[in-house]
C-alpha cells in the first residue's frame, strides 16, 4: 500500500494502539494489498480515553469491560461490586491498555 | 477477540480464591441482623446508594447458614455467585488435569450468547430491577 496513505492512517488512528505495536502495523500495512484500504478505513476502533471515563464512572458495575467486549469479565465485575472495589480501581489503570489490545485484535483480522 | 485460556483461568483462580478468603473472613464476624460490618462497595461508600450487587456477601453467608429465603431476599445474585464459586474451581481443575479447554470454550460461547440483543436486553433489565429492589430495600 502507498506509504503516504499508511502514514495518514497511522496519524489518525495511532492513539488507538500501543506505541510498540505501531511499527508492526505500519510495516504490515505497507505490505498489504491496496484493495483492503476501503475496508480498513471504515473500521471503527474503541477510544481508550472513552473507556477510561466509563471506567471511572461505571467501573464498579463492569460497564467498561462490557464496552470493550469483555462480557465475561464485565459480568464478573458486576456481580462482585467491581471485585470488592479492588478490581474496579485496578481497572482504572488497566482499561486503556486493554482497549488498545482489543483494537489490535480487531485490526489484525485485516493485516493477515 | 478473547482472552487466552491460561490468562482466563489465572484470573478466575485468583477471583475464586479471593472470594473464598472474603467469605471466610466474614463468616465468623457475621450474624444475621448485623449489616454494618460489610462496606467495601465504592458506589455505596461515596453515594450511600446500594449498587446492583450490594448485599450479595450477606446473601451468600445466609445461604451457607441455611437461611435460603433470607439469602434470596438480600440479593438473588448470592445464589449465582455461590454457583460460580462451586462450579468454576472444579471445572478449571478438571481442565488442568485432563489438559483440555472445555471451560474456555464454554466461556467464549457464553460470552457471544450474552452479547446477542435478545439475551442482553432481558439481562440488563433483570439487573436494573434487582438494583431498584436493592435501593427500595435500603441494603
Amino acid at each position: 500500500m502507498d506509504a503516504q496513505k499508511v502514514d495518514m492512517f497511522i496519524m489518525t488512528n495511532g492513539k488507538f494502539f500501543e506505541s510498540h505495536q505501531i511499527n508492526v502495523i505500519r510495516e504490515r500495512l505497507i505490505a498489504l494489498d491496496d484493495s483492503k484500504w476501503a475496508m480498513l478505513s471504515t473500521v471503527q476502533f474503541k477510544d481508550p480515553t472513552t473507556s477510561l471515563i466509563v471506567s471511572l464512572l461505571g467501573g464498579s458495575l463492569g460497564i467498561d469491560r462490557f464496552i470493550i467486549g469483555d462480557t465475561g469479565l464485565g459480568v464478573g465485575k458486576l456481580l462482585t461490586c467491581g471485585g470488592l472495589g479492588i478490581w474496579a480501581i485496578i481497572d482504572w489503570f488497566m482499561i486503556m491498555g486493554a482497549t488498545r489490545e482489543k483494537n489490535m485484535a480487531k485490526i489484525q483480522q485485516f493485516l493477515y | 477477540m478473547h482472552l487466552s485460556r491460561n490468562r482466563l483461568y489465572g484470573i478466575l483462580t485468583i477471583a475464586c480464591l479471593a472470594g473464598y478468603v472474603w467469605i471466610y473472613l466474614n463468616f465468623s464476624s457475621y450474624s444475621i441482623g448485623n449489616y454494618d460490618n460489610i462496606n467495601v462497595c465504592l458506589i455505596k461508600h461515596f453515594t450511600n446508594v446500594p449498587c446492583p450487587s450490594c448485599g450479595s456477601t450477606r446473601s451468600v453467608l445466609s445461604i451457607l447458614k441455611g437461611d435460603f429465603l433470607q439469602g434470596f431476599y438480600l440479593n438473588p445474585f448470592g445464589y449465582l455467585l455461590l454457583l460460580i464459586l462451586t462450579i468454576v474451581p472444579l471445572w478449571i481443575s478438571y481442565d488442568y488435569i485432563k489438559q483440555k479447554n472445555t471451560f474456555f470454550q464454554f466461556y467464549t460461547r457464553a460470552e457471544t450468547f450474552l452479547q446477542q440483543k435478545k439475551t442482553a436486553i432481558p439481562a440488563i433489565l433483570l439487573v436494573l430491577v434487582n438494583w431498584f429492589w436493592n435501593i427500595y430495600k435500603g441494603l
Side-chain angles (χ1 to χ4, degrees), chain B residues 24-41:
Chain B
Y24 174 77
L25 285 178
N26 282 290
F27 198 75
S28 41
S29 61
Y30 172 79
S31 58
I32 291 165
N34 180 14
Y35 290 159
D36 298 329
N37 53 355
I38 304 167
N39 196 357
V40 286
C41 180

Side-chain angles (χ1 to χ4, degrees), chain B residues 37-57:
Chain B
N37 53 355
I38 304 167
N39 196 357
V40 286
C41 180
L42 282 179
I43 293 180
K44 198 174 158 191
H45 197 78
F46 287 117
T47 62
N48 272 327
V49 176
C51 78
S53 52
C54 274
S56 45
T57 307

Side-chain angles (χ1 to χ4, degrees), chain A residues 60-106:
Chain A
S60 298
L61 306 179
I63 300 174
D64 47 349
R65 285 287 170 184
F66 286 123
I67 275 189
I68 66 168
D70 274 337
T71 314
L73 293 181
V75 170
K77 264 177 104 172
L78 175 69
L79 288 182
T80 57
C81 265
L84 302 176
I86 303 165
W87 190 0
I89 293 172
I90 293 174
D91 255 358
W92 293 348
F93 302 96
M94 302 271 291
I95 197 72
M96 290 182 84
T99 315
R100 294 193 185 106
E101 290 295 328
K102 288 281 169 187
N103 285 334
M104 189 63 194
K106 200 171 190 180

Side-chain angles (χ1 to χ4, degrees), chain B residues 111-125:
Chain B
E111 230 176 15
T112 41
F113 175 71
L114 278 176
Q115 279 165 357
Q116 289 165 0
K117 255 187 193 157
K118 62 176 196 279
T119 45
I121 290 170
I124 291 169
L125 280 179

